[in-house]
Amino acid sequence: MPLHDKFGRQITDLRISVTDRCNFRCVYCRSADPENHVDSRELLTWAELERLARVLAGLGIRKVRVTGGEPLVRDGVEDFIAALRRLGFADISATTNGHLLAERCDRLVRAGLDRVNISLDSLDAGKFQRITRTRSLGKVMAGVDAAQASPLRPVKVNAVLVRGINDDEIEAFAEFARERDLTMRFIEFMPLDADRHWTRELVVPAAEVKRRIEARWKLEEIPHERSETARKFRFADGRGEIGLVAPVTQPFCGFCSRIRLTADGKLRTCLFSKEDRDLKSRVRNGASDAELACYIQSVVEEKEEGHRINEPDFVPPSRTMVFIGG
Ligand code: SAM
């Protein structure tokens, strides 16, 4: 029985956060405190994650994205991806900060990963350090190279734009997409940062990004599925694509097909859900697969109509991006 919510949306996409730990501390995401993560006993084991993935496959989930935290810092992620492959998902992707990608790319491909999104918020070493609080730009670039040299396709590079920090690099990122023949995605900053610094003024609207790129290069829109997060464009005169992800200024909730499983076993029906639903206690207290499926269906049924970032009564979610899994 496929998963539907009460607004008629079919849920086919699952994001699984496999850890809340990360080797970066991006200013728009998590605090500087390296100890800010849950105890590892709170995390679902690989076997528990695999079981929930199997139950969700039975409920019609077709696409799975493995994320975190930083998914590559948890040992065993390749075996988990291989297990997802055996479960028959049509599309298996990962989101990574790229730090460990060059050394792990071959293993990820062998495990059955289809594609990868790599976060890269600046092409300038000093600014990269200011944003991520690491000196890893070279390693991330090596990760991009390794992904492009591998069968992983498409390779997408994600930049979260924050006004006054990296919005001066929009054209440089576009050049990067053209030179490297990859998809550069610009993501609007959302109120999910641990330090609660988000303000509307810090958001760089996707329309501004498009205007600035179009001032230099002609873009052609690429048709996309309505449930996809990005509007996509190719450069009319050559290689490379851009994607605009505009959850703040152009919300796409009406066609959302996603749910999220957090590393500590909570089901979230929206990035901005006020509450998450506990699957871990059910798994650990002996619920059968049928009982889990029934519970998941009842939670998904109540998926929020949309986030309320633009409403006067908006309350940021209790959990920030790093605990939810982007
Ligand atoms: N560690 C991996 C990475 O860096 O890609 C995966 C997890 S990260 C939370 C997933 C995505 O969420 C990244 O593309 C990151 O840039 C994005 N992200 C984190 N905080 C965000 C925020 N406040 N607004 C928009 N995107 C955010």
Side-chain angles (χ1 to χ4, degrees):
M1 181 67 182
L3 284 172
H4 282 97
D5 68 17
K6 64 180 176 207
F7 301 103
R9 293 171 297 192
Q10 191 180 344
I11 306 305
T12 51
D13 301 7
L14 170 69
R15 301 208 173 170
I16 302 182
S17 172
V18 297
T19 178
D20 63 330
R21 290 183 188 234
C22 189
N23 41 3
F24 284 13
R25 322 217 73 74
C26 300
V27 289
Y28 58 77
C29 186
R30 62 191 309 153
S31 73
D33 173 9
E35 298 309 319
N36 185 14
H37 53 76
V38 301
D39 188 284
S40 54
R41 281 166 304 191
E42 298 297 324
L43 300 185
L44 293 178
T45 64
W46 289 123
E48 289 167 338
L49 281 167
E50 186 180 333
R51 178 175 175 213
L52 286 172
R54 180 162 42 77
V55 170
L56 284 152
L59 290 168
I61 294 291
R62 295 197 296 266
K63 293 168 74 172
V64 181
R65 173 171 297 280
V66 177
T67 182
E70 170 51 38
L72 302 190
V73 302
R74 183 162 176 191
D75 281 345
V77 69
E78 290 88 353
D79 293 340
F80 180 59
I81 287 168
L84 293 177
R85 192 84 277 168
R86 288 193 295 275
L87 289 172
F89 292 107
D91 180 67
I92 304 173
S93 59
T95 305
T96 173
N97 60 33
H99 178 85
L100 295 169
L101 188 56
E103 59 197 76
R104 302 278 285 284
C105 199
D106 289 348
R107 282 165 61 190
L108 291 163
V109 170
R110 277 202 302 278
L113 189 69
D114 291 313
R115 57 198 183 89
V116 74
N117 288 8
I118 304 164
S119 298
L120 172 61
D121 301 307
S122 178
L123 298 165
D124 171 85
K127 208 185 290 177
F128 183 93
Q129 184 177 349
R130 183 171 156 216
I131 295 171
T132 64
R133 300 187 260 227
T134 74
R135 295 172 196 259
S136 295
L137 178 60
K139 291 204 79 169
V140 176
M141 287 297 189
V144 175
D145 288 340
Q148 286 202 279
S150 81
L152 298 174
R153 285 296 179 276
V155 175
K156 297 182 187 170
V157 174
N158 289 340
V160 176
L161 293 178
V162 183
R163 177 80 69 203
I165 298 190
N166 58 355
D167 54 328
D168 58 336
E169 291 194 71
I170 291 172
E171 292 82 0
F173 281 129
E175 290 271 22
F176 182 71
R178 290 164 60 83
E179 277 165 18
R180 300 284 191 120
D181 192 16
L182 50 70
T183 303
M184 186 72 225
R185 304 195 331 151
F186 298 91
I187 303 177
E188 288 178 349
F189 180 28
M190 292 181 276
L192 292 166
D193 57 314
D195 291 334
R196 303 289 191 209
H197 285 155
W198 184 89
T199 63
R200 202 162 287 280
E201 291 65 44
L202 293 175
V203 178
V204 182
E208 175 181 330
V209 178
K210 181 163 176 275
R211 210 168 38 243
R212 278 176 50 181
I213 295 179
E214 277 184 320
R216 294 266 294 273
W217 299 281
K218 188 168 165 9
L219 295 176
E220 289 171 351
E221 184 147 12
I222 304 169
H224 68 287
E225 281 177 38
R226 290 193 301 185
S227 63
E228 281 183 83
T229 52
R231 283 180 66 202
K232 300 187 287 191
F233 301 85
R234 67 171 74 87
F235 292 96
D237 67 342
R239 308 183 313 162
E241 291 180 5
I242 65 160
L244 302 175
V245 186
V248 180
T249 63
Q250 298 164 42
F252 34 82
C253 308
F255 302 105
C256 182
S257 55
R258 279 170 291 284
I259 53 173
R260 292 178 151 79
L261 178 60
T262 68
D264 60 350
K266 307 288 196 306
L267 188 65
R268 290 184 73 88
T269 46
C270 174
L271 262 179
F272 293 93
S273 291
K274 291 209 182 96
E275 303 168 50
D276 37 33
R277 306 305 180 124
D278 188 18
L279 285 177
K280 183 175 65 182
S281 63
R282 288 177 166 75
V283 167
R284 292 190 179 170
N285 291 334
S288 66
D289 286 359
E291 284 164 344
L292 290 172
C294 197
Y295 180 66
I296 292 168
Q297 273 170 326
S298 69
V299 171
V300 169
E301 168 82 16
E302 295 304 316
K303 180 173 162 70
E304 299 77 347
E305 186 171 17
H307 70 59
R308 303 184 58 79
I309 302 177
N310 298 313
E311 306 302 325
D313 61 350
F314 173 69
V315 184
S318 54
R319 303 187 115 202
T320 56
M321 190 63 126
V322 75
F323 294 106
I324 299 170

